[in-house]
Amino acid sequence: EAGVAQSPRYKIIEKRQSVAFWCNPISGHATLYWYQQILGQGPKLLIQFQNNGVVDDSQLPKDRFSAERLKGVDSTLKIQPAKLEDSAVYLCASTISGGETQYFGPGTRLLVL
Amino acid sequence: GNSVTQMEGPVTLSEEAFLTINCTYTATGYPSLFWYVQYPGEGLQLLLKATKADDKGSNKGFEATYRKETTSFHLEKGSVQVSDSAVYFCALSSSGNTGKLIFGQGTTLQVKP
């Protein structure tokens, strides 16, 4: 079974630029999560989707971050404009509907200069 | 609000030593508890979990017991190997929640031959 795929794996941008990350969850997984992991900290949830609907985006900085999952499968997370403090690893995870075990992708490491 | 606190790292042990990584939590209701592991260069993967009080999760020689009276979920292993070197994250998923995970800050384990 293929795991959660993410791209790119690494990205370096300058502040005020925009960037987008892509995630393809495990086939059949209805629930998709985006987490932000700042160096030395545990992952923090940014947004959760159930199929193509948003379940929880209370921690998403909506003035600069956006995410979509239009067809209920893959998802895109965008930052525009980026700030220095957005430097982090962005993790995508998925699970079956109602499932407790989340499966994580390898993450995208973002460095904002 | 819900939170997870882990012992500070890094933890450095010699091969075959006994490992304990402390984890305590604050949560309303009856959360499920997890240990995730992140090996160098890899994504987060579930190590073990427990869904109710007094449950013991175990995997790959690691164990953790859900202690409601002390709100703890300490990770233990009787004899560590160099290959266990990784970052370990304790996490909870609250009952009645959307399923999102709340993570501790992570504990780095380094095992020397």
Side-chain angles (χ1 to χ4, degrees):
Chain A
E1 175 182 82
V4 176
Q6 290 188 247
S7 67
R9 292 295 307 274
Y10 305 92
K11 190 74 177 179
I12 301 174
I13 61 172
E14 296 188 348
K15 60 183 180 184
R16 292 189 289 274
Q17 286 187 324
S18 62
V19 65
F21 313 127
W22 174 82
C23 171
N24 190 37
I26 293 173
S27 178
H29 282 195
T31 308
L32 185 148
Y33 306 83
W34 283 102
Y35 290 87
Q36 180 193 56
Q37 185 179 10
I38 293 173
L39 187 64
Q41 299 181 20
K44 184 186 77 172
L45 181 73
L46 291 174
I47 190 168
Q48 177 185 349
F49 291 94
Q50 178 73 16
N51 296 307
N52 60 351
V54 175
V55 175
D56 183 352
D57 63 356
S58 58
Q59 300 295 306
L60 188 74
K62 299 180 186 65
D63 58 334
R64 298 184 300 106
F65 286 64
S66 64
E68 60 184 16
R69 194 184 182 200
L70 293 176
K71 296 182 179 179
V73 181
D74 55 353
S75 175
T76 303
L77 176 70
K78 297 179 181 178
I79 308 175
Q80 181 178 9
K83 292 186 175 181
L84 297 178
E85 59 261 36
D86 298 332
S87 295
V89 177
Y90 291 84
L91 298 167
C92 180
S94 70
T95 187
I96 60 173
S97 183
E100 278 199 317
T101 299
Q102 295 184 23
Y103 297 85
F104 284 82
T108 296
R109 188 175 298 274
L110 173 68
L111 179 60
V112 182
L113 301 176
Chain B
N2 297 338
S3 65
V4 175
T5 302
Q6 291 181 233
M7 65 186 285
E8 293 280 338
V11 174
T12 303
L13 297 173
S14 297
E15 208 164 23
E16 298 183 3
F18 184 85
L19 169 71
T20 299
I21 300 178
N22 290 337
C23 171
T24 57
Y25 67 90
T26 302
T28 55
Y30 304 94
S32 293
L33 301 174
F34 305 82
W35 278 100
Y36 276 82
V37 59
Q38 190 170 36
Y39 297 104
E42 299 184 17
L44 279 166
Q45 52 186 278
L46 179 67
L47 180 60
L48 53 84
K49 69 178 183 181
T51 57
K52 60 182 188 296
D54 300 324
D55 265 3
K56 178 185 283 187
S58 62
N59 186 25
K60 298 181 181 179
F62 291 88
E63 292 183 341
T65 301
Y66 189 140
R67 301 286 188 200
K68 196 172 190 311
E69 64 276 12
T70 55
T71 61
S72 65
F73 193 55
H74 304 320
L75 183 68
E76 297 181 335
K77 186 175 186 182
S79 176
V80 293
Q81 305 300 311
V82 172
S83 57
D84 293 326
S85 298
V87 182
Y88 292 81
F89 292 91
C90 185
L92 69 81
S93 175
S94 291
S95 59
N97 197 285
T98 55
K100 76 176 185 182
L101 292 172
I102 296 171
F103 287 88
Q105 76 270 34
T107 302
T108 299
L109 170 65
Q110 187 174 42
V111 181
K112 297 188 173 181

